[in-house]
Every structure is written in structure tokens, then in C-alpha cells.
Amino acid sequence: MNLFDSIVKRVKAFNMPAILYVVEFILTYVLIRNMNLFYYLEVSGWRDNWVRNTALIVIVIVMTTLTIRAMIGIPSSDRYSWRSTVRTLIILIPMTVIYYVFEFGYFFISPWVLLIIMSVSIGIMFLPSVRRYHTPPMRKVPPLKEWVKFIFIRPEETEYRYRFAYEKKD
């Protein structure tokens, strides 16, 4: 067994839809970009505008943390990890625009292309196979409308109702 076969075997062990690896790759690019942006700020110096640089460093650290959380959560089939990944991708879109507006642009690719790629990633997260993967076992997949609401509102569990009953003792 060569190295490639062992890697393929480990990837298949997750039972994760293959299209989710595209989202993982995009989030990896965002993580590398954030590390480069942080380095760029450190190298460019603080003398010019230290308030702006401090704010941007805080933004980069927060976005890096969100990206790492999303990357770790994607392989788990938990629906709340799906939610955090979609939220992170939604937040990354305006952050990319903010980086561009502040001319804080150490990008390998154009920020406009990156915006399109992130939008496609959000679309990937709504594919039926991905939604099925993030639905708990023995439950039917909720309709698309419920998934969109789930991004912003935490629903009450309506699928199952539990009731505790106690015996009366005479």
C-alpha cells in the first residue's frame, strides 16, 4: 500500500461528501490568507496608522479563529457545525470587502474572485448530499427553507417529545 492509497482510505473513513473537501480547501486558503495578512501588518510597521492596524489585527485574529472552528467542524456530521461553517462563510464575504476597501490586500487571487468562490461554497453547503450528511440519523432531511432559518434562529426540537411519568404509590 502506497501513501496515496492510505490517504484515500482515511478520507473515505469520514464518509463525508467529496464536495465538502472543496469547502475545506477554500477555508484553508482563507486561513493562509489571514496568516499572510497578519504577517503583512507586522512587517508594514505601526507608525503610519496604529489604530487602523490594531483594528485590522483584531479582525484578522477573530476571522482566523472562526475559520479554524469551521474547518474542524466540517468533518463532523453535527448540524451545528454546518451552521457555524455557513455563518463563517457569510461573515467572510463582508470581511473580504473590508480588506479590499482598506487596501489591506495581500491576496494571491483577486478579492472579487474570492467573493465568488465563497458564494459558491455557501451554495455547496446547501446541496442535498451535504444537508443529508449533517442531518442526525433516523431523521428526515428538513426542507431547504428550514436550513436557511437554521442559520439565524436556533429551532426548538419538534421532532421528538419526551414526557416523564411517575407511578403513584399508595
Side-chain angles (χ1 to χ4, degrees):
M1 179 183 292
N2 62 16
L3 178 64
F4 182 73
D5 290 337
S6 65
I7 291 172
V8 169
K9 184 178 177 182
R10 287 183 184 176
V11 166
K12 287 183 178 180
F14 279 115
N15 293 328
M16 188 170 78
I19 195 75
L20 281 177
Y21 290 105
V22 173
V23 177
E24 284 270 358
F25 181 74
I26 291 165
L27 288 173
T28 302
Y29 169 77
V30 170
L31 184 62
I32 292 169
R33 180 195 69 180
N34 285 346
M35 291 187 311
N36 283 331
L37 290 172
F38 187 78
Y39 176 74
Y40 174 76
L41 273 176
E42 288 295 322
V43 170
S44 68
W46 292 85
R47 291 183 207 100
D48 298 338
N49 191 347
W50 67 270
V51 174
R52 173 182 161 256
N53 288 349
T54 304
L56 287 173
I57 282 181
V58 169
I59 289 172
V60 167
I61 290 172
V62 168
M63 294 315 302
T64 301
T65 305
L66 288 175
T67 304
I68 291 171
R69 286 184 59 205
M71 288 177 67
I72 291 172
I74 284 179
S76 76
S77 59
D78 183 29
R79 62 189 177 145
Y80 292 103
S81 67
W82 177 91
R83 179 184 185 183
S84 71
T85 302
V86 173
R87 282 181 171 179
T88 299
L89 287 167
I90 290 171
I91 292 170
L92 282 171
I93 290 174
M95 287 296 109
T96 302
V97 173
I98 288 172
Y99 293 158
Y100 180 74
V101 168
F102 281 114
E103 298 175 357
F104 183 55
Y106 187 81
F107 293 94
F108 295 121
I109 58 177
S110 168
W112 305 113
V113 173
L114 186 60
L115 291 174
I116 292 170
I117 291 172
M118 286 183 200
S119 300
V120 168
S121 297
I122 293 171
I124 289 171
M125 295 303 290
F126 282 99
L127 290 175
S129 62
V130 174
R131 289 185 285 140
R132 174 69 242 165
Y133 177 72
H134 287 94
T135 302
M138 298 188 300
R139 289 188 67 181
K140 58 183 178 176
V141 179
L144 188 61
K145 179 175 121 179
E146 296 299 319
W147 286 92
V148 173
K149 285 192 325 189
F150 180 59
I151 295 171
F152 305 106
I153 301 169
R154 184 178 181 141
E156 292 186 30
E157 293 295 329
T158 57
E159 186 77 21
Y160 303 103
R161 299 229 182 250
Y162 299 101
R163 184 173 55 161
F164 294 102
Y166 299 98
E167 290 183 24
K168 290 185 179 180
K169 292 189 178 187
D170 295 325

